[in-house]
Structure formats: structure tokens, C-alpha cells
Amino acid sequence: DTGVSQDPRHKITKRGQNVTFRCDPISEHNRLYWYRQTLGQGPEFLTYFQNEAQLEKSRLLSDRFSAERPKGSFSTLEIQRTEQGDSAMYLCASSGGLAYTLRSGANVLTFGAGSRLTVL
Amino acid sequence: AQTVTQSQPEMSVQEAETVTLSCTYDTSESDYYLFWYKQPPSRQMILVIRQEAYKQQNATENRFSVNFQKAAKSFSLKISDSQLGDAAMYFCAYDGPWEKLTFGTGTRLTIIP
């Protein structure tokens, strides 16, 4: 297992189009997180899953955003009717979850390289 | 809501010297975790060091150490013997009982040869 993979690495789209990003976490990790990072800022939490259950969504995640993790493995983040303000790096991370935290003392997230979205 | 503040947008240090990056946070919780992540120009976040709030001893990882002041809600990162490969954005992050990370705005560290 080579870590957290994200695809595509870079997506350029026109305003109003739909885009989908995919994240493949570390195989034994049961938690998966999505963050958004704009230039010069720290990552902002969007949502996270434990297995296939979406446990929390940020208020940043408007109705145009939807995330799924259908089989508890990979996840997709879809943005409908993109706007220029959606331009950002979308980061995925995974972790072992609560059981791992209890065993090792901290919920350490492993991040992917990110998917950069540019909306023209 | 928890907040994390990094008041130094940019720092620079001579190679082989020591630099300290500052971080403060706000929380009403007593049990939590703090992290420093590094994001090199390739933009993949890498964990540098972590600290459990219930531990009084400051964490150390090779050239990286923290100064954790729980009462002051301060969590600074010290990098000793700075190397060119340390150049990156450094993010302080807080993880409370909800187990999602809240990040600061980052500090860009430049290493001067």
C-alpha cells in the first residue's frame, strides 16, 4: 500500500460544470476525511466517513457538494454547477479511527497529494 | 468552536540554526491532541510531531521538539540544526474528542543557505 491516492491531480473546468474527485485511502484505515485548502490558507474540514457512514459535514459543504463512500473503501467528492469560488485544492486523508486512537494515543491522519480544481 | 492561530505567516532561518514557530489555540476541552504538519512545495501533508494534552512531557522527534504550555494554550515547534529540506509550510493542528483536525493558517519557513 503506497498511501492515500487522489485522482485527478488537477482539474480545469468551466463554471457551471460538474466535477468529481476520487480518493483511495490506506486499505486498513476505516476513517476518511475531505478538506479544502485555498491559496495561503490552512486546510478547512469538509466531511468525514467512518467506513461507509458519513458522520459529519461542515457548513462549508453546500448543497452543490456531495461525498460518498459506498463500500467503505474509496470515496468520491462531487461538486455540481461549479463556481469560481470553488477553485481550491481538495485534500483527502485517512486514519485508523477510534480503535487506532485508543491503541496508539492519537488519531493520526495520512494525507494524499490533493486534487487541484481551477474553475474558469 | 476550536480555533488555531499561527501569528507568523513567514519565517526564515539560516541553515544549521534553530527556529521556533508559534501556535496558540482555543478550546474548552481538557483532553485533546496537537500536531504539527509540514507541507513541502509538492503539497502533500506530512506529520512532523504530535502531543497528547494529558502528557506533561514535551514531545521530541529527532531535530523537532515542541514547547507545550497547556494553561497558556500554546504549542510551539522548535527546529534545531535547520536543513534545506525543512523548507515548507508548517501547520499547527488541533484534534479534540470529535477527531477531526482544525488547522491554523500556516507559517512558511524559508531556509537560507
Side-chain angles (χ1 to χ4, degrees):
Chain A
D1 195 348
T2 55
V4 179
S5 299
Q6 293 190 244
D7 184 69
R9 293 292 309 277
H10 196 178
K11 177 73 175 178
I12 301 173
T13 191
K14 293 182 179 179
R15 188 178 57 183
Q17 298 296 305
N18 299 343
V19 296
T20 300
F21 301 113
R22 175 181 170 123
C23 173
D24 287 89
I26 292 173
S27 58
E28 62 265 30
H29 284 179
N30 59 9
R31 286 208 172 177
L32 186 148
Y33 300 78
W34 285 100
Y35 282 82
R36 181 173 70 185
Q37 186 178 24
T38 54
L39 201 61
Q41 298 297 315
E44 297 172 296
F45 170 77
L46 292 178
T47 187
Y48 85 94
F49 294 83
Q50 180 158 313
N51 300 313
E52 66 275 11
Q54 190 172 19
L55 295 189
E56 187 175 347
K57 292 194 296 185
S58 163
R59 282 173 290 181
L60 293 174
L61 218 62
S62 74
D63 292 344
R64 298 184 297 106
F65 288 71
S66 62
E68 293 183 344
R69 195 183 182 196
K71 297 183 180 179
S73 56
F74 73 91
S75 175
T76 57
L77 176 68
E78 180 183 16
I79 308 174
Q80 296 181 329
R81 304 180 303 281
T82 53
E83 302 173 355
Q84 288 185 327
D86 297 331
S87 295
M89 180 75 82
Y90 290 85
L91 299 173
C92 177
S94 69
S95 75
L98 181 59
Y100 180 85
T101 299
L102 294 174
R103 195 167 60 244
S104 72
N107 183 35
V108 177
L109 272 61
T110 300
F111 283 84
S115 293
R116 179 177 295 283
L117 174 64
T118 301
V119 182
L120 302 176
Chain B
Q2 285 71 29
T3 57
V4 178
T5 302
Q6 293 180 250
S7 58
Q8 305 155 315
E10 296 185 1
M11 293 281 286
S12 61
V13 63
Q14 293 276 353
E15 194 175 0
E17 297 296 309
T18 295
V19 64
T20 298
L21 308 184
S22 300
C23 172
T24 58
Y25 58 94
D26 185 28
T27 183
S28 58
E29 301 296 330
S30 59
D31 200 13
Y32 50 88
Y33 301 94
L34 296 164
F35 302 85
W36 280 97
Y37 276 85
K38 170 185 177 181
Q39 192 175 40
S42 66
R43 303 192 69 95
Q44 185 158 8
M45 290 274 202
I46 303 166
L47 178 67
V48 175
I49 197 166
R50 72 188 195 207
Q51 174 79 44
E52 290 85 348
Y54 65 86
K55 290 186 177 179
Q56 292 186 341
Q57 187 174 5
N58 289 324
T60 299
E61 289 286 343
N62 300 315
R63 299 182 295 107
F64 299 87
S65 62
V66 299
N67 183 5
F68 173 48
Q69 301 289 329
K70 190 172 185 179
K73 297 180 182 176
S74 170
F75 183 60
S76 61
L77 174 70
K78 185 171 80 171
I79 306 174
S80 303
D81 185 25
S82 298
Q83 300 175 359
L84 294 177
D86 295 333
M89 285 290 290
Y90 286 82
F91 292 98
C92 178
Y94 168 96
D95 182 4
W98 304 276
E99 298 193 46
K100 69 174 188 281
L101 292 185
T102 300
F103 287 87
T105 52
T107 297
R108 181 177 301 280
L109 179 63
T110 300
I111 311 296
I112 303 167

